[in-house]
Amino acid sequence: MLSRGAASGRALRGAARAGGQPPPVRGLRASPRARCAMPSWVIDRYGRNDVLRFTREMVFPTIHFPNEVIIKVHAASLNPIDLSMRSGYGATALNMKRDPLKLKSMETEFPLTLGRDVSGVVMECGLSVSYFKPGDEVWAAIPPWKQGTLSEFVVASGNEVSFKPKCLSHTEAASLPYVGLTAWSAVNQVGGLNQSNCSGKRVLILGASGGVGTFAVQLLKAWGAHVTAVCSHDASTLMKKLGADDVIDYRSGNLEEQLKTLPLFDFILDNVGGSTEKWALDLLKKWSGATYVTLVTPFLINMDKLGVADGMLQTGVTVGSKTVKHLFKGVHYRWAFFTPSGPSLDEIAELVDSGKIQPVIDQVFSFSEVPKAFLKLEGGHARGKTVIDVIGKK
């Protein structure tokens, strides 16, 4: 739940957009009982692309808590986590989050709808949702433990939702929430960078041409940082267009040696992981507060392999030991994760409407082409996001 102050602030912003008075607190209204099913793409088991199944009989979402809203999905988009979840990645931790007290009579998450991003229109509001009303155009990133957005409707907590940027279509807007909030978590919440302290800082982004990378480049440039982007040669034009100061082709030679020829960095965002972690921290300025943040962590893998208790213990030991090890070397080591947040999306929307951040879309698919969209994403080397036009007629 949002604090009363935060909720009031968002209510006033919503009223300003509508050009009227702050909306009154809306009463709890049940979803229409005449509508009990909806079209959706689901999986009934984990596996490869053939597990995706289209159905017109997915249970229609209902409001269970007073802070929830139901959104009619106009557009969605895919992220690498959708590929991973399709194959069962993180199932142990996510199932614990879905039912921590084991109260559900059915011990299965299926049928499961994938998709995290949504841009659409509010259809229903819960009792405590005073800052949205039916008809509002909104966007959100739905947490992975909830039913996803590859459906006609989706339910979300009000504090996960924000007003869609006015300058974007739904198709454009759907490309940003998940990657934007992931980058925001890494750069701002974990890395501590913001508009007031970022000017002139040297930032390195490893894996800059994907969804998170293209957003991070634009965010950091908007805040005044000097950005070095690492990507393949065919993405260099895109990186320059987004504002990157230096672009390094990781295929043109030994990447570590190429980066060592540059001045040291104040901040590194790692979207790649693997062997890069072994040498990337040596590129940071020592004893200056410089920080390395990685989005590639073993947290969910540990829980899948070792179970909840042992997986969390192993994760704690791993991150703790690495943090201390690098602290003694004069740099900060951190992990970052996607964090759902309507208030953060409010700030991102302001940056979008001011022209400082633009969506980067690789390809748009119709709702009937969801399996093709997954195959496209699975092929790798995307230049931006894979978007699903849910309400299109194609």
Side-chain angles (χ1 to χ4, degrees):
M1 291 292 291
L2 293 173
S3 67
R4 290 181 62 181
S8 299
R10 298 186 75 198
L12 290 173
R13 286 195 293 274
R17 290 193 174 214
Q21 298 298 317
V25 175
R26 306 187 63 82
L28 181 64
R29 299 184 297 159
S31 301
R33 293 304 176 190
R35 186 72 182 272
C36 60
M38 64 177 178
S40 180
W41 282 94
V42 301
I43 62 173
D44 302 301
R45 67 187 191 281
Y46 296 120
R48 300 186 64 81
N49 215 47
D50 59 354
V51 302
L52 290 167
R53 174 175 67 89
F54 178 75
T55 178
R56 295 188 180 275
E57 303 301 323
M58 186 61 177
V59 176
F60 194 89
T62 56
I63 291 174
H64 294 288
F65 299 98
N67 69 328
E68 290 182 332
V69 299
I70 294 177
I71 301 170
K72 179 174 175 59
V73 181
H74 282 228
S77 71
L78 299 183
N79 297 279
I81 192 174
D82 294 306
L83 291 176
S84 300
M85 288 180 63
R86 187 197 65 189
S87 301
Y89 169 77
T92 300
L94 296 177
N95 284 337
M96 181 187 70
K97 183 69 175 178
R98 291 176 184 123
D99 188 18
L101 300 180
K102 302 293 183 182
L103 298 178
K104 293 182 180 179
S105 57
M106 296 182 63
E107 295 184 0
T108 179
E109 62 272 36
F110 303 117
L112 180 64
T113 303
L114 302 175
R116 309 272 55 93
D117 294 297
V118 58
S119 183
V121 176
V122 174
M123 301 298 292
E124 297 283 342
C125 297
L127 176 65
S128 66
V129 179
S130 59
Y131 34 88
F132 299 113
K133 65 182 185 302
D136 284 340
E137 293 191 328
V138 296
W139 64 345
I142 309 300
W145 53 87
K146 296 184 178 181
Q147 289 286 15
T149 61
L150 297 178
S151 289
E152 186 178 12
F153 295 89
V154 67
V155 65
S157 297
N159 56 356
E160 297 164 355
V161 181
S162 171
F163 291 102
K164 179 183 75 67
K166 292 180 179 180
C167 68
L168 298 185
S169 67
H170 285 293
T171 300
E172 293 170 327
S175 69
L176 287 173
Y178 187 86
V179 295
L181 288 173
T182 302
W184 191 274
S185 170
V187 171
N188 177 260
Q189 296 174 352
V190 176
L193 298 182
N194 55 56
Q195 187 173 3
S196 63
N197 68 7
C198 205
S199 180
K201 280 190 165 55
R202 289 184 51 78
V203 176
L204 172 65
I205 301 177
L206 299 166
S209 63
V212 174
T214 54
F215 185 94
V217 169
Q218 297 180 83
L219 176 63
L220 289 159
K221 287 305 300 178
W223 286 347
H226 180 285
V227 176
T228 299
V230 175
C231 59
S232 60
H233 176 71
D234 59 347
S236 60
T237 301
L238 171 62
M239 291 297 101
K240 286 292 186 181
K241 180 181 177 182
L242 296 179
D245 299 282
D246 297 317
V247 180
I248 306 298
D249 177 9
Y250 68 87
R251 292 176 174 172
S252 64
N254 184 287
L255 177 59
E256 180 182 358
E257 295 303 320
Q258 291 186 74
L259 292 172
K260 281 182 177 179
T261 65
L262 302 177
L264 295 174
F265 296 94
D266 299 287
F267 182 86
I268 296 176
L269 175 60
D270 189 354
N271 299 300
V272 178
S275 61
T276 59
E277 188 176 302
K278 297 178 181 178
W279 49 261
L281 285 95
D282 294 331
L283 304 173
L284 290 170
K285 297 176 182 177
K286 306 296 189 291
W287 308 108
S288 65
T291 303
Y292 166 93
V293 177
T294 180
L295 290 165
V296 184
T297 76
F299 176 59
L300 294 181
I301 294 176
N302 284 344
M303 295 183 73
D304 286 339
K305 290 182 176 180
L306 304 174
V308 174
D310 289 344
M312 292 182 69
L313 177 61
Q314 179 62 52
T315 298
V317 170
T318 300
V319 69
S321 62
K322 289 185 176 183
T323 300
V324 172
K325 169 187 172 182
H326 292 294
L327 190 60
F328 278 110
K329 295 181 179 180
V331 296
H332 297 286
Y333 174 93
R334 299 286 186 269
W335 288 357
F337 304 91
F338 158 76
T339 303
S341 172
S344 294
L345 281 176
D346 289 344
E347 296 190 61
I348 292 171
E350 291 179 7
L351 289 167
V352 173
D353 279 330
S354 67
K356 294 179 179 178
I357 291 180
Q358 60 182 322
V360 180
I361 297 174
D362 188 62
Q363 191 170 348
V364 178
F365 292 84
S366 69
F367 194 49
S368 64
E369 297 175 317
V370 165
K372 291 183 181 178
F374 269 85
L375 289 176
K376 166 67 177 177
L377 184 62
E378 200 165 14
H381 301 289
R383 300 294 173 254
K385 292 296 296 291
T386 300
V387 176
I388 309 297
D389 180 3
V390 175
I391 64 170
K393 299 298 183 183
K394 183 179 176 181

